Amino acid sequence: MGTPATRVARLLEIMARLRDPVGGCPWDVRQTFETVAPHTLEEAYEVVDAIENGTPANLREELGDLLFQVVFHSRIAEEKNLFSFSDVVDTLADKLVRRHPHVFGDTAGAGAPSTPEEVADTWERIKARERETQPGGDSVLDGVTRALPALSRARALGRRVATVGFDWPTVERVLEKVDEERRELDDELRSGADPDRTAEELGDLFFALVQLGRKLGIDSEAALRAANTKFERRFRAVEEALARQGCAPGNATLEEMEEIWQAVKQKENRTPPAPGGLA
């Protein structure tokens, strides 16, 4: 297959051929940054899904699909004389070197960050200095991507303001905030449950819970994905149990389904499910 460089060159040639206005693929030729963006997001999620539930071969394929998105965007940019795939690679390499002075710079060796937490702090300080030199970089929150899933963005916002000291000092203080937000939601429900106010209070509770996860070192997005997976697994088990009885969820009572659900939970607690995916 050749060297890594020749393999990348082949991929870039394929992309150029697909985008050729004369002999290329009509669908690929019509695409823009905006139309490709949803596919880029989808491919990123499919990589995460492959990591959590797939096989090495599945992950290899999904990583290739994500790489294709980078190549696709780079080709569109090159056609507009904005930048090329090589520029993307150079920018990434330069940034990695710049943000790892403990590996590539003067701080390597003695005195360099020695734990993941220290490295993360160094990374955030370097990013903050970079933002100061960028146009419009007046806010600590500049650069926190709006397109992130809401839970991930809430975590990123909390992490960013924590770099300037705007954070709860302890987990216990965050728990107090969670309790406060839950009470405010309860008060809103008791006072008449105005839909907009209720949604606002629920959002505040979500935000506080995400910050609790951050203080505990837990990624709320990953935790909720795991909870979704567990719920799906258990409900499918309920469906299977009902099917063995010649019944379906729509024909069973809540009490009957809850009884099976509790039995499924007890069985899982006695025999924890084997780790899935690539873990």
Side-chain angles (χ1 to χ4, degrees):
M1 291 293 292
T3 66
T6 58
R7 293 175 182 178
V8 171
R10 176 172 177 253
L11 178 58
L12 295 177
E13 290 172 2
I14 291 171
M15 186 72 255
R17 178 72 180 275
L18 290 172
R19 289 279 296 179
D20 187 337
V22 178
C25 170
W27 186 90
D28 290 283
V29 171
R30 290 180 57 187
Q31 301 313 303
T32 65
F33 290 132
E34 292 76 15
T35 61
V36 175
H39 300 285
T40 306
L41 188 60
E42 180 181 347
E43 295 299 348
Y45 280 124
E46 289 184 2
V47 168
V48 174
D49 188 65
I51 291 171
E52 294 180 347
N53 305 302
T55 63
N58 183 218
L59 177 58
R60 178 184 63 196
E61 179 178 354
E62 296 300 343
L63 286 172
D65 291 344
L66 185 58
L67 174 60
F68 179 70
Q69 297 299 307
V70 178
V71 171
F72 208 145
H73 284 289
S74 299
R75 179 63 194 181
I76 296 173
E78 186 170 2
E79 293 168 358
K80 295 177 178 291
N81 295 317
L82 300 175
F83 56 83
S84 68
F85 179 78
S86 295
D87 295 326
V88 172
V89 174
D90 288 341
T91 300
L92 172 60
D94 291 343
K95 180 166 64 175
L96 288 173
V97 171
R98 185 173 66 250
R99 292 185 179 177
H100 290 83
H102 54 292
V103 177
F104 302 104
D106 296 336
T107 60
S114 58
T115 67
E117 292 75 21
E118 291 176 349
V119 171
D121 289 342
T122 299
W123 180 280
E124 289 297 336
R125 285 196 299 272
I126 293 172
K127 285 178 64 176
R129 289 198 298 269
E130 291 174 354
R131 287 194 298 272
E132 292 173 357
T133 64
Q134 295 173 354
D138 297 329
S139 172
V140 172
L141 299 177
D142 286 341
V144 179
T145 308
R146 293 184 179 275
L148 284 171
L151 291 180
S152 294
R153 190 162 191 265
R155 184 172 187 264
L157 290 169
R159 186 173 63 237
R160 182 67 65 82
V161 298
T163 63
V164 294
F166 192 72
D167 195 12
W168 292 276
T170 64
V171 169
E172 288 73 23
R173 292 289 296 277
V174 192
L175 281 168
E176 291 173 5
K177 184 62 177 178
V178 170
D179 288 339
E180 175 190 330
E181 297 297 351
R182 188 203 60 77
R183 288 193 300 271
E184 290 182 2
L185 176 60
D186 185 59
D187 290 343
E188 186 60 39
L189 291 171
R190 292 176 183 275
S191 67
D194 174 78
D196 291 337
R197 286 288 302 160
T198 301
E200 180 180 346
E201 296 299 346
L202 182 60
D204 291 345
L205 179 56
F206 278 140
F207 191 87
L209 286 168
V210 170
Q211 305 318 315
L212 175 61
R214 177 177 58 83
K215 294 292 282 188
L216 292 171
I218 297 171
D219 183 338
S220 295
E221 192 77 31
L224 185 55
R225 284 200 305 272
N228 289 340
T229 299
K230 179 172 65 176
F231 178 86
E232 181 180 6
R233 182 180 67 247
R234 289 177 176 176
F235 190 78
R236 287 181 182 275
V238 170
E239 290 179 313
E240 292 169 1
L242 288 172
R244 289 193 294 270
Q245 300 173 11
C247 188
N251 299 322
T253 65
L254 175 59
E255 290 73 17
E256 290 171 333
M257 289 188 286
E258 177 65 21
E259 182 179 354
I260 298 173
W261 178 276
Q262 293 299 328
V264 171
K265 282 182 60 176
Q266 292 177 10
K267 182 178 180 181
E268 287 188 357
N269 290 336
R270 291 194 300 267
T271 309
L278 301 172

